[in-house]
Amino acid sequence: MGILGRYGDFFPLTPRTPRLDLGEGSTPLVPLRALGEELGVDLWGKFEGANPTGSFKDRGMVLAVSKAMEEGARGVICASTGNTSASAAAYAACGGLSCTVLLPSGNVAKGKVAQALIYGATVAAVRGNFDRALELARAMAERRGYRIVNSVNPFRLRGQMSGAFEICDQLGDAPDWLAIPVGNAGNVTAYWAGFVAYMRRRRSSRVPVMMGFQAQGACPMVTGQFTDHPETVATAIRIGRPVNARRARWAVMMSGGAFEAVEDREILRAQMDLARCGLFAEPASCTPLAGLRKLAREGRLPRGIRVVMVLTGNGLKDVETPLRSAGSVVELEDSLETLEGVIP
Ligand SMILES: *Cc1c(COP(=O)(O)O)cnc(C)c1O
């Protein structure tokens, strides 16, 4: 059962709200003992790549599209660096709505574009950056009576709170730290709201310290300066003007946490390390591990605490980077002897 069925009492559902359900949520929370020992903490990974479209975006999208249907919208539209469009297209298909996706030109991982297309969305690449694509989406939404399902849509963040509920349910309580990648800064805001809401209803006893991680080339939450030219291999967080910057800053401050930046090279190393534990996450999702490493190196990671990393998206969405960096396929004569020569 998806999140509307499992956590419906936390969401603004009415008898007229359709309960869309692709079985989103209920993602594995995986203990990472070896990596944890190395860092001196009790480390866990929340594998959001196991969601129906392969990212946490499904948690917000199921509610956003259900509410759009309740309100009589004819379709949904979004500007997206990839995962939002994949998710919007899937839930629109599930609900029988039309979906339009505006991609900023340049790096969008191929798997995500394939998803939007196969789910039946109209996909357009806009010559211009993300902000321009969002402006166009807003104008068109107005003209056509479509609902915008970018992270400006309030239902997205409400649905994403369910990630925090699940972590509390899976561990029996909130962890000491939550380590999470930050792009538009919606998810970090939603997780904080989720932990607070759960504690208020006495379904957990405390809230975690929120640690937000960005890529060095796209880290406006760290520098305090917005930028028009964000650059990083982690395309899902290649964002220079986070839509939810103010609320995210407040959330992280209230929790006693901080924002930190990591180099692309550290992100790719973290991706490899997680894969060697059996978890294939996309680059953006690996910034928390890279960041925890950096904090440990600098003596800023308290020993023995319980840390949950949110592994936001599935590595299969973007296979080009690992195909370049993770070694290559061995070409072989058809004989047992040559095979003997290459296996360990
Ligand atoms: C959207 C996304 C993020 C960033 O989340 P924000 O809410 O924009 O901060 C991180 N990782 C992945 C895989 C994403 O799809």
Side-chain angles (χ1 to χ4, degrees), residues 32-293:
L32 296 166
R33 292 197 190 83
L35 285 175
E37 251 167 56
E38 181 198 319
L39 293 171
V41 298
D42 176 23
L43 188 64
W44 300 71
K46 179 76 168 153
F47 190 62
E48 291 291 284
N51 274 297
T53 78
S55 86
F56 75 83
K57 298 294 198 295
D58 294 343
R59 296 179 180 277
M61 202 58 75
V62 66
L63 185 58
V65 176
S66 295
K67 293 303 279 187
M69 290 173 70
E70 176 181 351
E71 291 160 6
R74 296 176 45 230
V76 295
I77 186 167
C78 66
S80 165
T81 55
N83 283 331
T84 296
S85 55
S87 189
Y91 285 91
C94 176
L97 294 188
S98 90
C99 177
T100 306
V101 166
L102 302 182
L103 303 173
S105 59
N107 317 357
V108 173
K110 280 215 180 72
K112 302 175 186 178
V113 181
Q115 285 183 290
L117 289 170
I118 193 82
Y119 293 131
T122 302
V123 181
V126 179
R127 255 178 245 114
N129 61 18
F130 174 83
D131 301 306
R132 184 67 194 128
L134 183 56
E135 270 172 46
L136 284 176
R138 279 187 161 136
M140 189 51 69
E142 181 104 2
R143 187 174 291 189
R144 285 287 185 92
Y146 283 9
R147 196 63 77 244
I148 286 256
V149 291
N150 275 96
S151 50
V152 291
N153 181 308
F155 300 119
R156 290 269 310 280
L157 298 198
R158 286 295 279 270
Q160 285 171 209
M161 288 163 58
S162 63
F165 305 160
E166 282 180 15
I167 289 173
C168 294
D169 289 346
Q170 285 167 313
L171 291 175
D173 208 341
D176 296 304
W177 278 22
L178 187 89
I180 186 168
V182 175
N184 261 319
N187 212 24
V188 64
T189 307
Y191 263 87
W192 174 250
F195 283 119
V196 170
Y198 230 45
M199 188 175 67
R200 290 221 173 110
R201 300 236 193 137
R202 302 188 191 290
R203 287 166 76 162
S204 58
S205 75
R206 56 189 188 145
V207 292
V209 169
M210 305 291 291
M211 296 298 294
F213 294 100
Q214 299 202 291
Q216 199 80 56
C219 61
M221 299 303 293
V222 180
T223 60
Q225 304 287 319
F226 283 11
T227 155
D228 287 321
H229 304 286
E231 238 352 294
T232 166
V233 286
T235 52
I237 53 171
R238 199 169 58 117
I239 288 165
R241 302 177 169 276
V243 173
N244 295 291
R246 270 197 32 228
R247 284 194 291 170
R249 196 170 293 293
W250 183 83
V252 165
M253 191 193 70
M254 288 299 287
S255 79
F259 295 101
E260 294 281 341
V262 290
E263 303 280 354
D264 277 4
R265 146 179 72 72
E266 299 173 297
I267 294 173
L268 293 178
R269 178 178 166 208
Q271 184 181 38
M272 191 87 76
D273 291 340
L274 284 165
R276 300 288 153 92
C277 298
L279 295 175
F280 187 17
E282 70 171 283
S285 310
C286 305
T287 50
L289 178 58
L292 291 173
R293 277 243 170 75

